[in-house]
Amino acid sequence: MSQLTGPQLILLLVPLFVILIAGEWLYFRFKSKKVYSSGDTMANLACGAGQTIIDGLVLVTLLQVYQSLQTWLGVGVTTLTVAQGILTFVAVDFSYYVYHRMSHRFSWMWAVHVVHHSSQNYNFSVGLRQAWFHKLTAFPFYLIFAFAGVPVVSLGIIVAIHASLQILTHTQAF
């Protein structure tokens, strides 16, 4: 039996994302508040689809670099315990925070990240509006985990869970 990877997990969560978006659309339609437009939502979904395709091409190389770095440095890689997984999730959240802040401060990073902030509306579908080359600018912020001995598959799953939860921060409902 093969192990679930981060990209596979995100693909499995797509129906949940669709349900969240549809539910939010219905909620605001009932409230007579327009937070969705068809063109903007389609652009958000297209960005998400494009990122998924590019990730499929780029991620293989980035994961190989991660594993090669661990091998080259002689870092011992072990299976994470539940406590280590939770600690890694918290550390991933912090790494993402630093990456995101820097993406707003440095023009070369902003050039990639601005796609996410270019929507005319603020709703769950914006959480899917990601830059196609996001992984290339974010990757260095996750290399610390290679030095800590976090297995690449474990990190991929934790980053995928973290990224999937980000959709919940893109709503006016709460």
Side-chain angles (χ1 to χ4, degrees), residues 2 15 17 37 40 46 49 61 72-73 76 83 121 136:
S2 68
F17 298 154
S37 71
D40 195 61
T61 302
W72 182 68
L73 294 171
N121 300 299
L136 295 175

Side-chain angles (χ1 to χ4, degrees), residues 33-91:
K33 184 174 180 185
K34 187 171 180 180
V35 298
Y36 279 89
S37 71
S38 58
D40 195 61
T41 301
M42 292 309 292
N44 295 343
L45 298 177
C47 285
Q51 183 210 20
T52 301
I53 293 167
I54 298 297
D55 277 1
L57 301 172
V58 171
L59 206 51
V60 172
T61 302
L62 294 180
L63 296 178
Q64 185 60 49
V65 167
Y66 184 97
Q67 283 186 312
S68 296
L69 181 63
Q70 284 182 321
T71 302
W72 182 68
L73 294 171
V75 174
V77 177
T78 60
T79 304
L80 296 182
T81 65
V82 172
Q84 290 169 327
I86 292 169
L87 182 61
T88 301
F89 181 87
V90 171

Side-chain angles (χ1 to χ4, degrees), residues 132-173:
W132 289 8
F133 298 100
H134 156 81
K135 290 279 189 284
L136 295 175
T137 56
F139 181 71
F141 294 87
Y142 297 102
L143 284 177
I144 188 71
F145 299 101
F147 295 99
V150 176
V152 68
V153 173
S154 298
L155 182 64
I157 292 289
I158 291 168
V159 168
I161 291 167
H162 184 267
S164 297
L165 290 172
Q166 297 303 312
I167 194 171
L168 299 175
T169 65
H170 294 87
T171 185
Q172 297 177 44

